Amino acid sequence: MAIDTGTPPVALPRATDRGETLTVRDDRTGKTYVIPIHDGAIRATELNKIRTAADDPGLLTYDPGFMATAAVKSAVTYIDGDAGILRYRGYPIEELAEKCGFLEVSHLLLEGELPTDQELAAWQDDITHHTFIHENIKKFIDGFRHDAHPMGVLMSTVAALSTFYPEAKRISDVAPRHKQIVRLIAKMPTIAGFAYRHAVGLPYVYPDNDLSYTGNFLNMMWKTTELKYDPDPILERALEVLFILHADHEQNCSTSTVRVVGSARSDPYSAVAAGVGALYGPLHGGANEQVLRMLEEIGSVDRIPEHIERVKSGELRLMGFGHRVYKSYDPRARIIKKVADDVFEVTGRNPLLDIALELEKIALEDDYFVSHKLYPNVDFYSGLIYQAMGFPVEMFPVLFAIGRTPGWLAQWQEGLLDPDQKIARPRQLYIGHAERHLDDV
Ligand code: ACO
């Protein structure tokens, strides 16, 4: 069965339909070029045709951090950063977070449509029956130092999975490709749970097939002597919502990494392991961990103004604030604030919440943050919830990685099936020495 790669991009203005063009005049030669605009973009290769002489390599665009370069066409996720809109396959994130489960949303991201009841039952059953990991994996998790960061353990274990499933290399065949997608979504919580249990010296807890995806993850984290772990339904649902909010975010750093590795036709375990590596960085998924450390360092509400001054002087960044795409409130941060209320009802209020709320209030009124369009992002409040639920800070990016896995895979697969895609290979502007010789020294 061929996997549906999804619906066409939703209701975006299609400049192509209006036959729009861009006219460029090269002042070096006086020549004029008419470049077609497709889907609101020009092809960079059209600019490359602009040359001053036959041996000129052609004009390049210089765009560190891809500020204005679309490297892919995608039908998975739509973001309007100015309006604070996030949609998966056309559905607003607010509706999905309120009415759907994480596996339902995973199906939506991967297949392009929400599952029917029958499809959902089969999908859940498939995921549930692939949560176990090979016993040898326990041996190398055992080999990590007790203080190994669980993100490092996750990254290396995911990479190692490719050695357990050599058929993962058959990425062009639908059935093995689908199998690895199921395995990755199913095994991420197991590896995450094992990484945590190793760090604290507790025995590993095996998956429990009677529990939901998030309920089972909580089981593998926290089960001790009880015969059967009984997850708190409010915490189980809160985690589900958090995973939904993290499930995809179009061409962010880790997703682009997964796509770049995938463009070399590597297996999905290698691609996702690279994505975990990118997510680990403090400017990306590592930010939720940094937010908690920052709040702890601030320590009390009266020390906030001093911290804000240090941020404004450029000494520090306000972690959990700012986003490459959102230049207004991150819609996920708004939903997370509501989830926090539900969770704190069960766990008790996180004492750092007062600092976070006051910090947000002051920052949102301050000229520096207003003029730089800096608002709380998804990571500002998620860490407070995770901490209240008992997760150590090192586990925060791991939780993010579990949630992001279906998005990575949907984007990886989309790239793979896109006939426009080629191996990713950016150009450079060489600024080094001209040719020189050892004898010249
Ligand atoms: N605190 C203080 N100033 C900031 C912050 C911040 N958190 N973020 C951006 N700025 C300032 C920069 O200093 C810069 O100011 P200038 O123009 O006066 O020099 C301006 O805003 C633009 O910043 P850039 O770094 O160019 O913006 P960019 O889009 O590249 O960065 C990023 C986005 C990395 C998210 C940034 O806002 C940041 O570092 N935030 C803190 C880390 C964080 O919370 N990351 C999580 C992002 S969400 C996610 O990945 C899931």
Side-chain angles (χ1 to χ4, degrees), residues 170-350:
R170 289 172 48 208
I171 52 171
S172 306
D173 299 343
V174 171
R177 194 168 67 227
H178 180 72
K179 190 66 161 277
Q180 312 322 314
I181 288 173
V182 169
R183 283 183 172 136
L184 267 159
I185 294 173
K187 293 180 200 309
M188 290 296 269
T190 313
I191 300 168
F194 280 29
Y196 167 72
R197 305 285 290 202
H198 171 70
V200 288
L202 283 168
Y204 302 127
V205 177
Y206 285 77
D208 180 340
N209 286 1
D210 295 336
L211 298 175
S212 71
Y213 187 81
T214 51
N216 175 48
F217 176 53
L218 293 172
N219 159 63
M220 292 186 290
M221 286 290 299
W222 311 127
K223 185 171 183 288
T224 51
T225 54
E226 63 273 46
L227 281 180
K228 194 152 181 77
Y229 183 80
D230 186 17
D232 184 295
I234 293 181
L235 301 186
E236 193 178 357
R237 176 65 198 160
L239 203 51
E240 190 114 4
V241 174
L242 285 161
F243 284 171
I244 291 171
L245 298 182
H246 285 92
D248 195 50
H249 213 233
E250 51 120 304
Q251 309 312 317
N252 56 85
C253 178
S254 56
T255 301
S256 300
T257 304
V258 170
R259 277 193 180 252
V260 166
V261 176
S263 79
R265 299 289 184 260
S266 305
D267 68 82
Y269 299 106
S270 305
V272 168
V276 175
L279 191 71
Y280 197 176
L283 296 188
H284 190 14
N288 51 17
E289 183 176 344
Q290 299 304 322
V291 171
L292 248 283
R293 296 197 191 284
M294 174 187 77
L295 294 175
E296 276 162 2
E297 196 190 311
I298 294 173
S300 62
V301 170
D302 57 304
R303 293 190 55 204
I304 293 174
E306 180 199 328
H307 190 83
I308 294 270
E309 283 315 308
R310 290 175 71 196
V311 170
K312 283 161 64 175
S313 72
E315 188 187 333
L316 302 167
R317 285 209 160 190
L318 192 55
M319 301 314 286
F321 261 69
H323 199 276
R324 171 62 59 78
V325 180
Y326 294 118
K327 299 303 169 194
S328 75
Y329 217 96
D330 181 337
R332 300 168 300 173
R334 205 168 265 130
I335 301 168
I336 282 188
K337 250 175 133 173
K338 277 199 233 142
V339 175
D341 291 337
D342 297 344
V343 169
F344 296 156
E345 285 276 310
V346 178
T347 61
R349 198 176 153 87
N350 188 325

Side-chain angles (χ1 to χ4, degrees), residues 385-397:
I385 302 176
Y386 294 146
Q387 191 181 53
M389 288 173 83
F391 291 103
V393 283
E394 293 78 15
M395 284 298 285
F396 296 177

